[in-house]
Amino acid sequence: MDPNLFIIFAFILVIVPIAGSIGSSIHRRTNEHEERKLELEARKAEAESGQGGASYRKLEERVRVLERIATDSNHALASQIEELRSLDAIDDRAIEDRSTDTEIAR
């Protein structure tokens, strides 16, 4: 057998499986992409038709709350946050007092 023919045959045996695996990978990713695109289009159509209204309404309510927080011109939100911080500080001190009391009792 001719040595050049053997090299060509070995080259083909190496390249064909590599090309096949790359082609298979590309095909699989293309199919996954198409499935995802169809799923998103179905969700969009469902939301527009009102069938998925519960989740859409929840999302819309959350956006409204965030808009209200972002556009709140008075300082009510800041004062509520400060009140919560002071309550957290009081809770932290109470926990520290309890831990020192149990250490003293030992």
Side-chain angles (χ1 to χ4, degrees):
M1 187 148 106
D2 188 24
N4 288 335
L5 187 61
F6 181 71
I7 292 173
I8 292 171
F9 184 67
F11 183 75
I12 289 173
L13 284 177
V14 170
I15 294 299
V16 168
I18 292 173
S21 65
I22 290 173
S24 174
S25 174
I26 290 171
H27 181 69
R28 186 179 66 247
R29 292 187 67 185
T30 303
N31 283 344
E32 289 173 357
H33 175 72
E34 288 297 321
E35 288 175 6
R36 180 72 175 147
K37 189 165 83 170
L38 290 173
E39 179 183 333
L40 291 174
E41 288 176 2
R43 284 186 182 179
K44 180 182 175 185
E46 181 180 296
E48 288 175 351
S49 69
Q51 292 176 352
S55 62
Y56 185 75
R57 281 191 294 273
K58 285 181 183 178
L59 180 62
E60 189 174 346
E61 288 173 10
R62 289 179 181 175
V63 169
R64 285 182 184 162
V65 168
L66 290 174
E67 286 175 348
R68 189 186 73 217
I69 289 171
T71 59
D72 191 12
S73 62
N74 62 16
H75 300 287
L77 180 63
S79 64
Q80 289 175 356
I81 291 172
E82 290 302 320
E83 288 174 13
L84 290 173
R85 284 184 183 159
S86 64
L87 289 176
D88 286 341
I90 291 171
D91 289 342
D92 290 342
R93 278 188 252 136
I95 291 171
E96 289 174 7
D97 291 341
R98 278 188 243 140
S99 65
T100 54
D101 288 344
T102 57
E103 289 175 7
I104 292 172
R106 290 183 188 173

